[in-house]
Amino acid sequence: MSDREFTGADDLSLPKATVQKIITEILQPSPGVTFAKDARDLLIDCCVEFITLISSEANEIAEKEAKKTIATEHIDKALRELGFPEYVQEVLASAGEHKEALKTREKKTNKMDQSGLSEAELLRQQEELFKSATEKYNQGPA
């Protein structure tokens, strides 16, 4: 897969608000200094190009290894092979932090768990609702 397989610039982008937030958090506030919208848009284009380049290289590495999933080690190798070894340590650290965050985040609960009722009680209530709805339907319009 080549990094040029995408047909146009409109196919891929990053959320402008997110990029603006990153810019604001990274840049030290300086009186009278702002980040122009066209500069932000250029930065977004550069980021998309960088991500495309790295992911394409990682995909080629994964394919050579007969893997169907691009893994962290493929990103590591891609960064090194493309001449960005200085990013590897920070990228791996971020990947580790993300993995830990996934382990500790609250699992979503479904409505059944939130109700506090047993499955049998929920089934009984459902049957009552069906019975009530059937009776209303059979009575016809009022």
Side-chain angles (χ1 to χ4, degrees):
M1 177 178 177
S2 133
D3 62 333
R4 299 289 178 204
E5 284 187 22
F6 301 105
T7 56
D10 293 336
D11 290 341
L12 301 170
S13 189
L14 295 171
K16 290 181 181 181
T18 302
V19 173
Q20 187 63 49
K21 182 179 178 190
I22 292 169
I23 291 168
T24 305
E25 289 177 2
I26 291 174
L27 295 179
Q28 296 295 323
S30 302
V33 177
T34 60
F35 205 86
K37 288 182 182 179
D38 59 336
R40 181 199 58 208
D41 293 343
L42 178 60
L43 181 63
I44 289 171
D45 290 344
C46 291
C47 291
V48 168
E49 184 65 27
F50 183 74
I51 292 167
T52 302
L53 177 70
I54 300 301
S55 59
S56 295
E57 184 68 22
N59 184 55
E60 288 178 16
I61 292 167
E63 285 178 350
K64 287 176 188 173
E65 295 177 4
K67 302 288 184 181
K68 292 186 178 186
T69 303
I70 297 173
T72 307
E73 58 266 14
H74 301 128
I75 302 295
D76 179 338
K77 287 180 184 178
L79 287 167
R80 292 178 193 280
E81 288 182 16
L82 291 168
F84 301 106
E86 65 274 13
Y87 292 121
V88 172
Q89 187 175 358
E90 192 167 340
V91 166
L92 294 178
S94 291
E97 289 170 14
H98 177 70
K99 197 172 188 177
E100 286 302 311
L102 288 176
K103 287 180 186 176
T104 60
R105 77 174 188 197
E106 287 185 30
K107 295 194 178 191
K108 292 183 181 178
T109 57
N110 60 31
K111 287 184 180 182
M112 189 172 123
D113 293 338
Q114 291 175 347
S115 73
L117 301 173
S118 70
E119 192 171 341
E121 179 61 22
L122 288 169
L123 183 59
R124 186 191 64 73
Q125 287 180 0
Q126 182 183 35
E127 288 171 352
E128 285 178 12
L129 289 169
F130 284 144
K131 182 180 177 184
S132 172
T134 302
E135 288 171 359
K136 284 182 184 178
Y137 177 76
N138 289 336
Q139 288 176 354

